[in-house]
Amino acid sequence: MEPLWWAGMITMIVGEIANFAAYAFAPAVLVTPLGALSIIISAALAHIILGEKLHIFGIVGCVLCVVGSTTIVLHAPQERQIESVKELWDLATEPAFLLYATLVIVAVVVIIVQYAPKYGQTHIIAYVGVCSLVGSIGVMSVQALGIALKLTFSGTNQLLYPQTWVFAVVVVTCVFTQMNYLNKALDTFNTALVSPIYYVTFTSLTIVASVIMFKDWNGQTATQIITELCGFVTILSGTFLLHKTKDLVEVSSPTAFMRYPKYDGGGGSSEEGIPLKNRESMR
């Protein structure tokens, strides 16, 4: 019944729809890294609306994200011209991408069955790894589905092809799997730890999947590819700096800093607010 809650929910939905649509008009190697811009906007809004202090290192992190994003945009590959969902299906069923998808599925099953039950509460990579691996396949399906819908709206109906619905099923499956294991990671570990690790692994695997399936780097020079990678590393550096220093506050000396603890109720948190579960629950 709270209007502000609905305003937030609506903006989230609109943002996700826009993010989904972006994959229909640009390659994933461009769209996915630019997701770091949402971190900058969140930090700015938190400073303005919630009164959270944006530390000088946070400002540097924002600048790094902007510089890295600009670098990627200026050297991004051109959008591949797709005429039919059948062409997308042919790309998805090429041996190289089938091998990648098979490796991802095997890795996810092994992690879920063998490692997550044993090490999920103590090793962050278990849950985040599942999210990132599944997410890389999900983004490829989102891009394929988005292109199919774009072609449909332009007058060439792609909903008649069963391949379109296969991509849709893969998208739904991947989204629910990601949501499940990302929530587990956030419930178990500090958000400041989960967010940068998830962003790095998810974006890296998505770029690999896109390069394999859509051959985004074909036709680009080595200089362009290296420049894009440098831009990506710059974004990663800015993202890490933002999350690592967001809890820092200045104390009496301008050169001295302290970090707020994550929990103080006897739960097993460290001074830096990083892990995790109550010690009793980990015995």
Side-chain angles (χ1 to χ4, degrees), residues 48-267:
I48 296 171
I49 299 175
L50 302 179
E52 294 182 4
K53 183 173 177 58
L54 186 59
H55 193 272
I56 183 63
F57 291 136
I59 296 175
V60 173
C62 290
V63 172
L64 287 174
C65 289
V66 171
V67 171
S69 299
T70 303
T71 303
I72 290 178
V73 169
L74 292 177
H75 298 86
Q78 296 296 316
E79 178 192 2
R80 187 187 183 102
Q81 296 301 317
I82 303 292
E83 303 297 334
S84 169
V85 72
K86 289 185 176 181
E87 186 176 345
L88 292 167
W89 185 258
D90 290 339
L91 293 172
T93 53
E94 287 188 355
F97 188 75
L98 286 178
L99 176 61
Y100 174 81
T102 301
L103 292 175
V104 166
I105 293 172
V106 171
V108 167
V109 171
V110 170
I111 293 174
I112 291 176
V113 174
Q114 186 70 24
Y115 292 102
K118 295 181 180 178
Y119 306 109
Q121 301 296 316
T122 55
H123 294 71
I124 191 173
I125 198 62
Y127 292 146
V128 172
V130 173
C131 294
S132 303
L133 288 166
V134 172
S136 67
I137 300 296
V139 168
M140 296 303 99
S141 299
V142 164
Q143 187 167 4
L145 184 60
I147 293 173
L149 292 176
K150 181 181 72 172
L151 293 172
T152 299
F153 293 144
S154 64
T156 307
N157 191 357
Q158 303 296 308
L159 301 180
L160 301 176
Y161 297 104
Q163 292 91 335
T164 302
W165 299 104
V166 172
F167 285 128
V169 170
V170 174
V171 168
V172 173
T173 304
C174 291
V175 166
F176 277 105
T177 304
Q178 277 185 279
M179 290 175 59
N180 180 33
Y181 283 92
L182 184 57
N183 282 329
K184 287 185 178 182
L186 292 172
D187 285 342
T188 308
F189 300 91
N190 192 305
T191 304
L193 189 64
V194 174
S195 296
I197 295 176
Y198 175 60
Y199 177 79
V200 170
T201 54
F202 170 68
T203 306
S204 301
L205 289 169
T206 298
I207 290 175
V208 171
S210 183
V211 168
I212 294 173
M213 178 172 171
F214 289 96
K215 302 175 177 59
D216 292 322
W217 285 346
N218 284 8
Q220 286 198 297
T221 64
T223 302
Q224 289 175 312
I225 295 173
I226 293 173
T227 304
E228 290 172 28
L229 293 176
C230 289
F232 177 51
V233 172
T234 303
I235 293 176
L236 296 184
S237 303
T239 303
F240 175 81
L241 197 58
L242 268 171
H243 283 283
K244 190 65 176 176
T245 62
K246 72 176 185 177
D247 293 330
L248 289 177
V249 294
E250 295 185 9
V251 291
S252 56
S253 169
T255 58
F257 304 98
M258 65 177 289
R259 181 181 295 274
Y260 287 131
K262 177 69 174 178
Y263 303 110
D264 58 2

